[in-house]
Amino acid sequence: MLKWLLPLAMLLSLSIQMVPLGFKLVVRDQRGVEVFSLPIYLGSRLVLRSEHSLERSQMEDQVVICDGKLWIWSTAVRTYNAGIPTEVPVGGVFLRDGEWDVFLGGRRPLPDDFRYRVGNAMFGKNQMFFCGERWDLFKVFPNRVLNFRLEAR
């Protein structure tokens, strides 16, 4: 019995290292340089908030992990003009939450390399909320394009 214990323990330790335990969100700039990465797990919620350049109203997308990809779980808006969503996605629902109108669900996957244009203090005012922290992207990466990608850890 003991002669099998050591090989079994070695095999188990190797297999644990090869199985990804979650994902990391890797963000690169337009040149491909990694600007930051964060561990992200099933159930984690990433919120991207911006101010619409014409409407000057806030919009908010909640992004989650589904099937090893990033998916838009909900989009919340306060107005309905100039390219802002107005229709519930197929399979989704519409909810009113205070001053927000929320388009929830609908299975909308993002591209593997999700390009996100960041504005500045005048246009966009893009923010990211993750794990209770707020990142003012428009201050750190003004007028830049960021590429979000989900990678196995």
Side-chain angles (χ1 to χ4, degrees):
M1 172 87 172
L2 286 176
K3 68 179 182 175
W4 292 103
L5 191 58
L6 182 59
L8 183 61
M10 290 174 57
L11 182 62
L12 183 61
S13 68
L14 273 174
S15 64
I16 287 175
Q17 292 175 15
M18 295 187 321
V19 174
L21 298 174
F23 296 91
K24 64 180 177 176
L25 180 67
V26 178
V27 179
R28 293 183 173 86
D29 65 11
Q30 59 264 38
R31 295 169 298 167
V33 175
E34 185 176 312
V35 292
F36 66 89
S37 69
L38 302 165
I40 187 169
Y41 301 92
L42 292 174
S44 296
R45 184 177 64 160
L46 171 72
V47 176
L48 297 171
R49 182 183 291 168
S50 62
E51 182 182 84
H52 192 278
S53 60
L54 295 176
E55 293 291 315
R56 307 302 274 185
S57 66
Q58 289 185 334
M59 299 174 55
E60 188 174 282
D61 287 317
Q62 288 189 31
V63 179
V64 298
I65 297 175
C66 181
D67 299 331
K69 292 182 165 276
L70 293 173
W71 292 70
I72 296 177
W73 176 249
S74 70
T75 298
V77 298
R78 293 183 175 168
T79 61
Y80 291 103
N81 293 316
I84 295 175
T86 58
E87 307 235 352
V88 176
V90 175
V93 296
F94 175 81
L95 303 170
R96 176 151 259 159
D97 184 14
E99 57 190 41
W100 293 96
D101 291 336
V102 181
F103 302 94
L104 181 65
R107 296 188 58 84
R108 295 174 287 163
L110 293 171
D112 288 338
D113 283 318
F114 169 57
R115 293 174 44 88
Y116 187 72
R117 184 173 303 277
V118 177
N120 52 44
M122 181 179 243
F123 295 109
K125 296 181 184 164
N126 305 74
Q127 296 174 315
M128 182 177 85
F129 298 85
F130 184 71
C131 290
E133 291 187 44
R134 182 182 85 192
W135 300 45
D136 290 330
L137 298 176
F138 71 97
K139 290 179 181 176
V140 182
F141 307 106
N143 303 313
R144 292 171 69 184
V145 175
L146 299 178
N147 293 301
F148 287 70
R149 183 175 184 81
L150 191 63
E151 297 180 1
R153 293 190 340 138

